[in-house]
Amino acid sequence: MMSLFKFKGGVKPPTHKSESTGLPIARAPLPSRLIVPLHQSIGGMPRPVVQAGDKVLKGQLIGEADGWISAAVHAPTSGTVLEVAMHAQPHPSGLDALCVVIEPDGKDEWITREPVDYKSLKPEEVRERLQQAGVVGLGGAVFPTHGKLTASKTVAMEELVINGAECEPFITCDDLLMRERAEEVVRGIGIFRDLLQPQKVLIGIEDNKPEAAAAMRAAVDALNEPFLVVQVPTLYPAGGAKQLIRVLTGKEVPAAKRSTDLGVQCFNVATAYTAWRAIAHGEPVVSRLVTVSGDVRTPRNYEVLIGTPMEELLKLAQPHPDTDGIIMGGPMMGFLVPDPQAPVVKATNCLIAHCERLFPPKAPEMPCIRCGACAQACPHELQPFELYWFARARNFGKTQEYNIFDCIECGCCSFVCPSRIPLVQYFRFAKSEIWAREREKNAAEGAKARFEFKQLRDEREKAEKAEKLARAAAAQAAKKAAEAAAAAAAEGSAPEATTPATETASVAAEANLPSDAVDPEKAAKMATIQAAMERAKAQREAAQPKNTEALKAAQQREIEEIEARRQAARLTDPAAPAAVAPASEKAE
Ligand code: SF4
Ligand code: SF4
């Protein structure tokens, strides 16, 4: 007998489970149309790969995974794509999201399915197949399963915990799954075990599901698996991953840490089942089990195609006339769906027909009396009344200091509050405000980054333009130099015409450098200056008399003649000057 541990807090609300476990799982008929949201898991939003008018087969890819943490989406039946457009989502916000709307053709015709023996595949191929099949956590978190199936390199995997606790009131889909399809669940757990290689596999089931526990034990024995099926005390929220890990292993997963840091990984039983169908039958996730209960005549579990409008599904269970809304999920963590036409998605485990008889309106909220009951009930050891004060005062920084993001919105605090304060609603409000501010901050930072990038780009373009102009000017100068050199060469006294290449070579030679060590632009400039100097020199030479010796002799002769004439004059006139300047000096 394995010893179990307790988690802190918890409550015992009425379970309302027996209502929907009396009938076996039924297959819901094809709806009039299927509205399949593309974003059905945590992570990147799949890209649509179909458009209006396309014919699709059941299981055909309609949304391609975007990145590693993302999961593909498939057509739930064969038919025609009517549109890829925004539609209402099953979300408290009531916001629309991108969906592929399919009109069924009634044939429910599958694509060619490719079953494989996963033992013949490499681990990364198994993970890839799970991603392509759109397998995500069906316990509510919808985290892509393949992303949780890589063993840590630093922490040894000690326990693989399989969650069959299903602690929330009204919900029985996991119970019925284990009762009716235990063997496939156990085979799916076998895939997880082979990929993660844990030392132990523990299957936790609340002790209010004896039939499910018996069926799972029988399947484990039949398949000769060393898995332990453990019945845990019925106490809400024993089905929370951290709480079940605590109960089964005694390990407390601290805030801001993951269970894998402590050598534990956790999956829901329905996730194991879909993983097995995906690998061994080649069937992507196009349907899931949904409990339909509450204010209806025939509460039961249905196998429902993803994308089925909730209102159509609810009609199958024959709601009473006083039904005034639909709750998705259980009464503790679920929410009233703003639009009954919203579709069933991978996260939809239960629809509860809401009426005032089952869920009487709460008496008005009273002031907090600081009784501390909420803190005692909180399974995450938070201080809900403090969080409440800070959320109410819109002091969101303080709510973060008091670890609001550790709150799993289990509703235990609201359940026990004598002042009927809807504490969870305050926490949801605070979280959404913090996320909105975070988004705004990220958007502002994004805008700043885009502005800086634009500035950088403008500067780079300016520099490139200036460089281009300089190159053109250098080419022009080199061309002119070449023309001048050619003209001088034609006259016979100029240096040979040069090209930029020869200029570069000559500059390099003068500087005693290899020719490629000299900047061609600089070389062109130097060649231009050189050519100009050559031209000036040539002009000076052309301006000077060619035969200076002859000139000097002629001048000498002239001086001698003048001197002779002067001597002759002096002989006739003794007052005449004694000497005269040469003819060249007179000219000045
Ligand atoms: S249970 Fe309600 S009244 Fe009591 S401390 Fe918490 S919030 Fe206040
Ligand atoms: S809703 Fe949050 S604060 Fe309230 S009991 Fe649950 S975890 Fe604690």
mmCIF file of all heavy atoms in Angstrom, residues 2-41:
data_model
loop_
_atom_site.group_PDB
_atom_site.id
_atom_site.type_symbol
_atom_site.label_atom_id
_atom_site.label_comp_id
_atom_site.label_asym_id
_atom_site.label_seq_id
_atom_site.Cartn_x
_atom_site.Cartn_y
_atom_site.Cartn_z
ATOM 1 N N MET A 2 0.648 2.102 -0.976
ATOM 2 C CA MET A 2 1.472 3.303 -1.110
ATOM 3 C C MET A 2 0.995 4.396 -0.143
ATOM 4 O O MET A 2 -0.201 4.611 -0.001
ATOM 5 C CB MET A 2 1.308 3.797 -2.546
ATOM 6 C CG MET A 2 2.363 4.725 -2.999
ATOM 7 S SD MET A 2 1.985 5.237 -4.664
ATOM 8 C CE MET A 2 2.099 6.983 -4.456
ATOM 9 N N SER A 3 1.920 5.078 0.535
ATOM 10 C CA SER A 3 1.478 6.148 1.437
ATOM 11 C C SER A 3 1.251 7.435 0.635
ATOM 12 O O SER A 3 2.017 7.753 -0.281
ATOM 13 C CB SER A 3 2.497 6.380 2.543
ATOM 14 O OG SER A 3 3.758 6.541 1.995
ATOM 15 N N LEU A 4 0.177 8.111 1.010
ATOM 16 C CA LEU A 4 -0.203 9.342 0.298
ATOM 17 C C LEU A 4 0.069 10.560 1.175
ATOM 18 O O LEU A 4 0.233 10.444 2.389
ATOM 19 C CB LEU A 4 -1.686 9.288 -0.065
ATOM 20 C CG LEU A 4 -2.105 8.148 -1.010
ATOM 21 C CD1 LEU A 4 -3.604 8.187 -1.247
ATOM 22 C CD2 LEU A 4 -1.367 8.236 -2.340
ATOM 23 N N PHE A 5 0.100 11.715 0.540
ATOM 24 C CA PHE A 5 0.378 12.976 1.246
ATOM 25 C C PHE A 5 -0.837 13.893 1.111
ATOM 26 O O PHE A 5 -1.704 13.662 0.264
ATOM 27 C CB PHE A 5 1.619 13.633 0.648
ATOM 28 C CG PHE A 5 2.839 12.758 0.735
ATOM 29 C CD1 PHE A 5 3.074 11.759 -0.213
ATOM 30 C CD2 PHE A 5 3.736 12.899 1.779
ATOM 31 C CE1 PHE A 5 4.175 10.938 -0.120
ATOM 32 C CE2 PHE A 5 4.845 12.078 1.873
ATOM 33 C CZ PHE A 5 5.069 11.090 0.921
ATOM 34 N N LYS A 6 -0.861 14.935 1.919
ATOM 35 C CA LYS A 6 -1.990 15.884 1.866
ATOM 36 C C LYS A 6 -1.520 17.184 1.240
ATOM 37 O O LYS A 6 -0.374 17.574 1.436
ATOM 38 C CB LYS A 6 -2.483 16.172 3.282
ATOM 39 C CG LYS A 6 -3.368 15.082 3.834
ATOM 40 C CD LYS A 6 -3.958 15.544 5.154
ATOM 41 C CE LYS A 6 -4.949 14.503 5.654
ATOM 42 N NZ LYS A 6 -5.339 14.722 7.022
ATOM 43 N N PHE A 7 -2.416 17.831 0.551
ATOM 44 C CA PHE A 7 -2.089 19.202 0.109
ATOM 45 C C PHE A 7 -2.849 20.160 1.011
ATOM 46 O O PHE A 7 -3.859 19.790 1.633
ATOM 47 C CB PHE A 7 -2.433 19.416 -1.375
ATOM 48 C CG PHE A 7 -3.883 19.297 -1.729
ATOM 49 C CD1 PHE A 7 -4.730 20.398 -1.664
ATOM 50 C CD2 PHE A 7 -4.424 18.077 -2.155
ATOM 51 C CE1 PHE A 7 -6.073 20.292 -2.008
ATOM 52 C CE2 PHE A 7 -5.760 17.962 -2.494
ATOM 53 C CZ PHE A 7 -6.589 19.069 -2.427
ATOM 54 N N LYS A 8 -2.380 21.396 1.054
ATOM 55 C CA LYS A 8 -2.981 22.368 1.957
ATOM 56 C C LYS A 8 -4.330 22.847 1.398
ATOM 57 O O LYS A 8 -4.491 22.940 0.188
ATOM 58 C CB LYS A 8 -2.020 23.556 2.117
ATOM 59 C CG LYS A 8 -2.362 24.425 3.280
ATOM 60 C CD LYS A 8 -1.496 25.633 3.351
ATOM 61 C CE LYS A 8 -2.127 26.678 4.254
ATOM 62 N NZ LYS A 8 -3.360 27.258 3.752
ATOM 63 N N GLY A 9 -5.235 23.164 2.254
ATOM 64 C CA GLY A 9 -6.517 23.741 1.838
ATOM 65 C C GLY A 9 -7.429 22.722 1.184
ATOM 66 O O GLY A 9 -7.368 21.535 1.453
ATOM 67 N N GLY A 10 -8.273 23.221 0.293
ATOM 68 C CA GLY A 10 -9.218 22.352 -0.407
ATOM 69 C C GLY A 10 -10.607 22.434 0.220
ATOM 70 O O GLY A 10 -10.761 22.824 1.381
ATOM 71 N N VAL A 11 -11.614 22.089 -0.584
ATOM 72 C CA VAL A 11 -13.014 22.124 -0.123
ATOM 73 C C VAL A 11 -13.743 20.891 -0.659
ATOM 74 O O VAL A 11 -13.226 20.167 -1.514
ATOM 75 C CB VAL A 11 -13.735 23.412 -0.613
ATOM 76 C CG1 VAL A 11 -13.155 24.640 0.050
ATOM 77 C CG2 VAL A 11 -13.678 23.537 -2.131
ATOM 78 N N LYS A 12 -14.954 20.689 -0.139
ATOM 79 C CA LYS A 12 -15.746 19.525 -0.565
ATOM 80 C C LYS A 12 -17.114 19.983 -1.058
ATOM 81 O O LYS A 12 -18.111 19.873 -0.337
ATOM 82 C CB LYS A 12 -15.896 18.553 0.597
ATOM 83 C CG LYS A 12 -14.632 17.781 0.901
ATOM 84 C CD LYS A 12 -14.934 16.599 1.783
ATOM 85 C CE LYS A 12 -13.693 15.735 1.911
ATOM 86 N NZ LYS A 12 -13.940 14.454 2.487
ATOM 87 N N PRO A 13 -17.204 20.494 -2.262
ATOM 88 C CA PRO A 13 -18.515 20.910 -2.781
ATOM 89 C C PRO A 13 -19.324 19.666 -3.195
ATOM 90 O O PRO A 13 -18.751 18.595 -3.399
ATOM 91 C CB PRO A 13 -18.147 21.752 -4.010
ATOM 92 C CG PRO A 13 -16.807 21.257 -4.427
ATOM 93 C CD PRO A 13 -16.131 20.697 -3.234
ATOM 94 N N PRO A 14 -20.664 19.792 -3.328
ATOM 95 C CA PRO A 14 -21.460 18.656 -3.824
ATOM 96 C C PRO A 14 -20.939 18.222 -5.196
ATOM 97 O O PRO A 14 -20.656 19.081 -6.040
ATOM 98 C CB PRO A 14 -22.874 19.228 -3.938
ATOM 99 C CG PRO A 14 -22.859 20.514 -3.192
ATOM 100 C CD PRO A 14 -21.454 20.996 -3.113
ATOM 101 N N THR A 15 -20.813 16.922 -5.408
ATOM 102 C CA THR A 15 -20.104 16.471 -6.616
ATOM 103 C C THR A 15 -20.987 16.438 -7.878
ATOM 104 O O THR A 15 -20.478 16.617 -8.988
ATOM 105 C CB THR A 15 -19.495 15.078 -6.402
ATOM 106 O OG1 THR A 15 -20.561 14.167 -6.139
ATOM 107 C CG2 THR A 15 -18.492 15.090 -5.273
ATOM 108 N N HIS A 16 -22.239 16.124 -7.767
ATOM 109 C CA HIS A 16 -23.162 16.057 -8.925
ATOM 110 C C HIS A 16 -22.603 15.175 -10.045
ATOM 111 O O HIS A 16 -22.801 15.468 -11.222
ATOM 112 C CB HIS A 16 -23.428 17.459 -9.484
ATOM 113 C CG HIS A 16 -24.283 18.307 -8.625
ATOM 114 N ND1 HIS A 16 -25.641 18.126 -8.493
ATOM 115 C CD2 HIS A 16 -23.972 19.346 -7.811
ATOM 116 C CE1 HIS A 16 -26.136 19.024 -7.652
ATOM 117 N NE2 HIS A 16 -25.146 19.775 -7.214
ATOM 118 N N LYS A 17 -21.917 14.123 -9.684
ATOM 119 C CA LYS A 17 -21.297 13.307 -10.739
ATOM 120 C C LYS A 17 -22.206 12.164 -11.187
ATOM 121 O O LYS A 17 -22.202 11.799 -12.365
ATOM 122 C CB LYS A 17 -19.969 12.742 -10.233
ATOM 123 C CG LYS A 17 -18.954 13.860 -9.960
ATOM 124 C CD LYS A 17 -17.561 13.449 -10.251
ATOM 125 C CE LYS A 17 -16.576 14.546 -9.952
ATOM 126 N NZ LYS A 17 -15.783 14.904 -11.095
ATOM 127 N N SER A 18 -22.973 11.645 -10.253
ATOM 128 C CA SER A 18 -23.744 10.443 -10.590
ATOM 129 C C SER A 18 -24.777 10.718 -11.697
ATOM 130 O O SER A 18 -25.154 9.808 -12.436
ATOM 131 C CB SER A 18 -24.438 9.896 -9.347
ATOM 132 O OG SER A 18 -25.260 10.909 -8.796
ATOM 133 N N GLU A 19 -25.211 11.977 -11.834
ATOM 134 C CA GLU A 19 -26.224 12.285 -12.840
ATOM 135 C C GLU A 19 -25.798 11.871 -14.258
ATOM 136 O O GLU A 19 -26.609 11.397 -15.041
ATOM 137 C CB GLU A 19 -26.535 13.801 -12.869
ATOM 138 C CG GLU A 19 -27.303 14.333 -11.677
ATOM 139 C CD GLU A 19 -26.399 14.948 -10.629
ATOM 140 O OE1 GLU A 19 -25.351 14.316 -10.331
ATOM 141 O OE2 GLU A 19 -26.716 16.028 -10.106
ATOM 142 N N SER A 20 -24.531 12.052 -14.555
ATOM 143 C CA SER A 20 -24.106 11.833 -15.947
ATOM 144 C C SER A 20 -23.322 10.534 -16.157
ATOM 145 O O SER A 20 -22.786 10.304 -17.250
ATOM 146 C CB SER A 20 -23.253 13.015 -16.424
ATOM 147 O OG SER A 20 -22.150 13.176 -15.562
ATOM 148 N N THR A 21 -23.256 9.679 -15.149
ATOM 149 C CA THR A 21 -22.473 8.444 -15.331
ATOM 150 C C THR A 21 -23.366 7.215 -15.554
ATOM 151 O O THR A 21 -22.877 6.104 -15.720
ATOM 152 C CB THR A 21 -21.569 8.184 -14.110
ATOM 153 O OG1 THR A 21 -22.387 8.224 -12.930
ATOM 154 C CG2 THR A 21 -20.453 9.197 -14.005
ATOM 155 N N GLY A 22 -24.672 7.445 -15.577
ATOM 156 C CA GLY A 22 -25.586 6.311 -15.719
ATOM 157 C C GLY A 22 -25.646 5.761 -17.136
ATOM 158 O O GLY A 22 -26.006 4.598 -17.343
ATOM 159 N N LEU A 23 -25.313 6.558 -18.115
ATOM 160 C CA LEU A 23 -25.412 6.119 -19.515
ATOM 161 C C LEU A 23 -24.013 6.034 -20.130
ATOM 162 O O LEU A 23 -23.115 6.791 -19.746
ATOM 163 C CB LEU A 23 -26.238 7.140 -20.313
ATOM 164 C CG LEU A 23 -27.736 7.227 -19.949
ATOM 165 C CD1 LEU A 23 -28.368 8.449 -20.605
ATOM 166 C CD2 LEU A 23 -28.470 5.959 -20.388
ATOM 167 N N PRO A 24 -23.844 5.098 -21.061
ATOM 168 C CA PRO A 24 -22.525 5.021 -21.702
ATOM 169 C C PRO A 24 -22.268 6.223 -22.616
ATOM 170 O O PRO A 24 -23.176 7.016 -22.898
ATOM 171 C CB PRO A 24 -22.601 3.725 -22.518
ATOM 172 C CG PRO A 24 -24.052 3.515 -22.750
ATOM 173 C CD PRO A 24 -24.782 4.111 -21.595
ATOM 174 N N ILE A 25 -21.040 6.327 -23.078
ATOM 175 C CA ILE A 25 -20.673 7.433 -23.988
ATOM 176 C C ILE A 25 -21.485 7.294 -25.284
ATOM 177 O O ILE A 25 -21.588 6.195 -25.846
ATOM 178 C CB ILE A 25 -19.160 7.374 -24.331
ATOM 179 C CG1 ILE A 25 -18.324 7.541 -23.057
ATOM 180 C CG2 ILE A 25 -18.796 8.434 -25.363
ATOM 181 C CD1 ILE A 25 -16.853 7.167 -23.230
ATOM 182 N N ALA A 26 -22.070 8.400 -25.739
ATOM 183 C CA ALA A 26 -22.795 8.395 -27.018
ATOM 184 C C ALA A 26 -22.039 9.263 -28.016
ATOM 185 O O ALA A 26 -21.337 10.206 -27.623
ATOM 186 C CB ALA A 26 -24.194 8.965 -26.813
ATOM 187 N N ARG A 27 -22.179 8.912 -29.288
ATOM 188 C CA ARG A 27 -21.531 9.738 -30.319
ATOM 189 C C ARG A 27 -22.511 10.838 -30.746
ATOM 190 O O ARG A 27 -23.624 10.530 -31.189
ATOM 191 C CB ARG A 27 -21.177 8.858 -31.517
ATOM 192 C CG ARG A 27 -20.277 9.528 -32.534
ATOM 193 C CD ARG A 27 -19.904 8.533 -33.618
ATOM 194 N NE ARG A 27 -18.969 7.543 -33.118
ATOM 195 C CZ ARG A 27 -17.648 7.680 -33.148
ATOM 196 N NH1 ARG A 27 -17.116 8.768 -33.658
ATOM 197 N NH2 ARG A 27 -16.864 6.732 -32.680
ATOM 198 N N ALA A 28 -22.100 12.086 -30.603
ATOM 199 C CA ALA A 28 -22.984 13.194 -31.007
ATOM 200 C C ALA A 28 -23.101 13.203 -32.532
ATOM 201 O O ALA A 28 -22.104 12.986 -33.233
ATOM 202 C CB ALA A 28 -22.412 14.515 -30.512
ATOM 203 N N PRO A 29 -24.321 13.429 -33.070
ATOM 204 C CA PRO A 29 -24.469 13.440 -34.537
ATOM 205 C C PRO A 29 -23.740 14.629 -35.172
ATOM 206 O O PRO A 29 -23.361 15.571 -34.474
ATOM 207 C CB PRO A 29 -25.984 13.545 -34.728
ATOM 208 C CG PRO A 29 -26.494 14.126 -33.455
ATOM 209 C CD PRO A 29 -25.563 13.726 -32.366
ATOM 210 N N LEU A 30 -23.611 14.547 -36.502
ATOM 211 C CA LEU A 30 -22.974 15.663 -37.224
ATOM 212 C C LEU A 30 -23.815 16.921 -37.039
ATOM 213 O O LEU A 30 -25.030 16.878 -37.248
ATOM 214 C CB LEU A 30 -22.902 15.344 -38.714
ATOM 215 C CG LEU A 30 -21.787 14.426 -39.192
ATOM 216 C CD1 LEU A 30 -21.934 14.178 -40.694
ATOM 217 C CD2 LEU A 30 -20.424 15.029 -38.903
ATOM 218 N N PRO A 31 -23.207 18.022 -36.669
ATOM 219 C CA PRO A 31 -23.991 19.264 -36.545
ATOM 220 C C PRO A 31 -24.229 19.893 -37.912
ATOM 221 O O PRO A 31 -23.683 19.441 -38.925
ATOM 222 C CB PRO A 31 -23.080 20.135 -35.682
ATOM 223 C CG PRO A 31 -21.710 19.659 -35.989
ATOM 224 C CD PRO A 31 -21.804 18.206 -36.343
ATOM 225 N N SER A 32 -25.039 20.949 -37.946
ATOM 226 C CA SER A 32 -25.343 21.620 -39.222
ATOM 227 C C SER A 32 -24.092 22.265 -39.815
ATOM 228 O O SER A 32 -23.909 22.331 -41.018
ATOM 229 C CB SER A 32 -26.416 22.682 -39.002
ATOM 230 O OG SER A 32 -25.978 23.572 -37.982
ATOM 231 N N ARG A 33 -23.225 22.747 -38.971
ATOM 232 C CA ARG A 33 -21.940 23.292 -39.426
ATOM 233 C C ARG A 33 -20.954 23.234 -38.264
ATOM 234 O O ARG A 33 -21.358 23.155 -37.098
ATOM 235 C CB ARG A 33 -22.064 24.712 -39.962
ATOM 236 C CG ARG A 33 -22.577 25.684 -38.969
ATOM 237 C CD ARG A 33 -22.671 27.064 -39.539
ATOM 238 N NE ARG A 33 -22.942 27.988 -38.447
ATOM 239 C CZ ARG A 33 -22.602 29.252 -38.401
ATOM 240 N NH1 ARG A 33 -21.974 29.780 -39.417
ATOM 241 N NH2 ARG A 33 -22.870 30.004 -37.381
ATOM 242 N N LEU A 34 -19.696 23.264 -38.627
ATOM 243 C CA LEU A 34 -18.635 23.183 -37.615
ATOM 244 C C LEU A 34 -17.824 24.465 -37.655
ATOM 245 O O LEU A 34 -17.401 24.907 -38.735
ATOM 246 C CB LEU A 34 -17.731 21.975 -37.906
ATOM 247 C CG LEU A 34 -18.409 20.615 -37.661
ATOM 248 C CD1 LEU A 34 -17.800 19.551 -38.543
ATOM 249 C CD2 LEU A 34 -18.288 20.224 -36.201
ATOM 250 N N ILE A 35 -17.638 25.047 -36.495
ATOM 251 C CA ILE A 35 -16.854 26.298 -36.419
ATOM 252 C C ILE A 35 -15.573 25.936 -35.663
ATOM 253 O O ILE A 35 -15.594 25.755 -34.446
ATOM 254 C CB ILE A 35 -17.645 27.386 -35.655
ATOM 255 C CG1 ILE A 35 -19.015 27.583 -36.313
ATOM 256 C CG2 ILE A 35 -16.870 28.693 -35.601
ATOM 257 C CD1 ILE A 35 -20.048 28.162 -35.375
ATOM 258 N N VAL A 36 -14.481 25.804 -36.405
ATOM 259 C CA VAL A 36 -13.256 25.285 -35.789
ATOM 260 C C VAL A 36 -12.261 26.425 -35.553
ATOM 261 O O VAL A 36 -11.660 26.935 -36.514
ATOM 262 C CB VAL A 36 -12.600 24.209 -36.692
ATOM 263 C CG1 VAL A 36 -11.445 23.532 -35.958
ATOM 264 C CG2 VAL A 36 -13.623 23.184 -37.125
ATOM 265 N N PRO A 37 -12.090 26.852 -34.311
ATOM 266 C CA PRO A 37 -11.105 27.913 -34.054
ATOM 267 C C PRO A 37 -9.688 27.415 -34.372
ATOM 268 O O PRO A 37 -9.363 26.249 -34.113
ATOM 269 C CB PRO A 37 -11.258 28.196 -32.559
ATOM 270 C CG PRO A 37 -12.568 27.599 -32.168
ATOM 271 C CD PRO A 37 -12.771 26.444 -33.084
ATOM 272 N N LEU A 38 -8.879 28.311 -34.922
ATOM 273 C CA LEU A 38 -7.502 27.908 -35.258
ATOM 274 C C LEU A 38 -6.619 27.868 -34.012
ATOM 275 O O LEU A 38 -5.705 27.078 -33.926
ATOM 276 C CB LEU A 38 -6.921 28.870 -36.293
ATOM 277 C CG LEU A 38 -7.493 28.646 -37.701
ATOM 278 C CD1 LEU A 38 -7.272 29.853 -38.572
ATOM 279 C CD2 LEU A 38 -6.891 27.407 -38.334
ATOM 280 N N HIS A 39 -6.937 28.751 -33.059
ATOM 281 C CA HIS A 39 -6.075 28.814 -31.863
ATOM 282 C C HIS A 39 -6.738 28.031 -30.740
ATOM 283 O O HIS A 39 -7.586 28.552 -30.034
ATOM 284 C CB HIS A 39 -5.879 30.273 -31.463
ATOM 285 C CG HIS A 39 -4.648 30.482 -30.640
ATOM 286 N ND1 HIS A 39 -4.447 31.583 -29.866
ATOM 287 C CD2 HIS A 39 -3.549 29.719 -30.462
ATOM 288 C CE1 HIS A 39 -3.277 31.489 -29.258
ATOM 289 N NE2 HIS A 39 -2.722 30.368 -29.597
ATOM 290 N N GLN A 40 -6.337 26.775 -30.583
ATOM 291 C CA GLN A 40 -6.977 25.945 -29.552
ATOM 292 C C GLN A 40 -5.988 25.430 -28.527
ATOM 293 O O GLN A 40 -6.291 24.519 -27.764
ATOM 294 C CB GLN A 40 -7.667 24.763 -30.200
ATOM 295 C CG GLN A 40 -8.863 25.140 -31.029
ATOM 296 C CD GLN A 40 -9.685 23.925 -31.392
ATOM 297 O OE1 GLN A 40 -10.113 23.166 -30.559
ATOM 298 N NE2 GLN A 40 -9.878 23.745 -32.674
ATOM 299 N N SER A 41 -4.770 25.932 -28.570
ATOM 300 C CA SER A 41 -3.783 25.466 -27.591
ATOM 301 C C SER A 41 -2.930 26.652 -27.167
ATOM 302 O O SER A 41 -2.938 27.700 -27.815
ATOM 303 C CB SER A 41 -2.888 24.397 -28.223
ATOM 304 O OG SER A 41 -2.117 24.965 -29.252
#
